């Protein structure tokens, strides 16, 4: 079971590396890694399990955050109500953004990261809509269109496999200054 002690923190060199593409079909170890990453996210969102194991809640996790420089991310975005099916719950192998909107969006409260143990204030502008391709754990190819929050989460995780941290996008001089065209999502 993945816990917070398995997640490397900012300053670790792996977080700044461009991760390697996985060769398909992926190995049994890589499949298990993907399943474990997704389970961590589910556990981190379960109040009892999170408290028992001191897990910080997360909606996304990239293999480089576990000091594994491979292009694999897991995303688990819960439904609006507790009884709803998750909006997205999957492991993505070699995810790639193939197109994106001109319009940008950012989250009102900024972004956080399991690899960053401090508050980093500021807007993180990202594309408001993306189309991405990826492979699942069984090697099936997928194409997905996402917008707003879901698109932001995926871009955050894809940044991890490209050696980019969310705060790299924040305006250093004026953290809360954004272009008028940027949509702020609450």
């Amino acid at each position: 079971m993945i816990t917070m002690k398995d997640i490397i923190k900012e300053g670790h060199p792996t977080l700044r590396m461009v991760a390697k593409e996985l060769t398909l079909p992926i190995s049994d170890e890589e499949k298990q890694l993907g399943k474990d990453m997704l389970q961590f996210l589910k556990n981190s969102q379960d109040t009892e399990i999170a408290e028992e194991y001191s897990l910080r809640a997360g909606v996304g996790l990239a293999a480089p955050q576990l000091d594994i420089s491979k292009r694999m991310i897991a995303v688990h975005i819960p439904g609006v109500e507790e009884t709803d099916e998750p909006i997205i719950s999957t492991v993505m192998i070699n995810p790639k953004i193939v197109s994106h909107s001109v319009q940008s969006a950012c989250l009102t409260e900024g972004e956080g990261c399991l690899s960053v143990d401090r508050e980093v204030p500021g807007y993180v502008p990202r594309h408001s809509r993306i189309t991405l391709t990826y492979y699942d754990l069984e090697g099936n190819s997928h194409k997905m269109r996402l917008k707003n929050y879901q698109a932001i989460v995926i871009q955050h995780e894809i940044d991890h496999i490209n050696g980019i941290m969310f705060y790299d996008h924040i305006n250093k001089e004026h953290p809360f200054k954004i272009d008028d065209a940027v949509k702020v999502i609450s």
Side-chain angles (χ1 to χ4, degrees):
M1 177 178 150
I2 295 173
T3 64
M4 292 306 295
K5 69 177 173 31
D6 299 305
I7 296 174
I8 61 175
K9 303 301 177 192
E10 63 180 321
H12 193 290
T14 302
L15 291 173
R16 289 300 189 173
M17 294 167 56
V18 175
K20 295 172 190 66
E21 284 233 344
L22 282 92
T23 305
L24 298 171
I26 63 172
S27 69
D28 290 343
E29 293 81 20
E30 290 165 336
K31 275 186 191 173
Q32 190 58 54
L33 170 64
K35 291 174 185 173
D36 291 346
M37 288 168 59
L38 190 56
Q39 189 59 53
F40 168 83
L41 295 173
K42 291 175 182 177
N43 291 344
S44 79
Q45 295 173 28
D46 180 303
T47 315
E48 287 177 23
I49 296 172
E51 192 173 317
E52 182 179 347
Y53 293 99
S54 301
L55 305 178
R56 277 177 52 202
V59 291
L61 183 65
Q65 292 179 273
L66 300 170
D67 200 13
I68 299 167
S69 190
K70 294 184 177 179
R71 298 184 81 77
M72 178 188 296
I73 66 173
V75 178
H76 184 77
I77 300 175
V80 180
E81 301 293 325
E82 262 187 53
T83 54
D84 290 350
E85 285 294 308
I87 295 168
I88 302 175
S89 186
T90 194
V91 176
M92 298 180 178
I93 308 298
N94 300 333
K96 196 172 289 168
I97 295 172
V98 293
S99 67
H100 60 78
S101 63
V102 174
Q103 185 183 27
S104 294
C106 65
L107 300 175
T108 308
E109 70 278 3
E111 292 183 22
C113 180
L114 294 168
S115 292
V116 178
D117 288 335
R118 61 190 173 97
E119 286 286 318
V120 183
Y123 288 135
V124 182
R126 298 190 181 276
H127 304 296
S128 62
R129 294 175 185 266
I130 60 169
T131 300
L132 77 149
T133 58
Y134 68 93
Y135 295 92
D136 63 24
L137 293 176
E138 304 309 315
N140 302 307
S141 82
H142 297 268
K143 188 173 190 175
M144 187 183 278
R145 286 183 177 82
L146 299 167
K147 63 182 182 180
N148 300 331
Y149 181 71
Q150 292 89 347
I152 288 170
V153 170
I154 297 293
Q155 289 171 86
H156 178 112
E157 298 312 320
I158 288 177
D159 271 359
H160 274 305
I161 61 176
N162 289 321
I164 299 166
M165 299 296 284
F166 76 92
Y167 47 74
D168 296 344
H169 297 285
I170 297 173
N171 181 323
K172 305 289 178 259
E173 304 296 312
H174 307 282
F176 289 100
K177 184 178 183 214
I178 50 171
D179 193 322
D180 289 341
V182 176
K183 181 164 76 174
V184 180
I185 302 166
S186 48

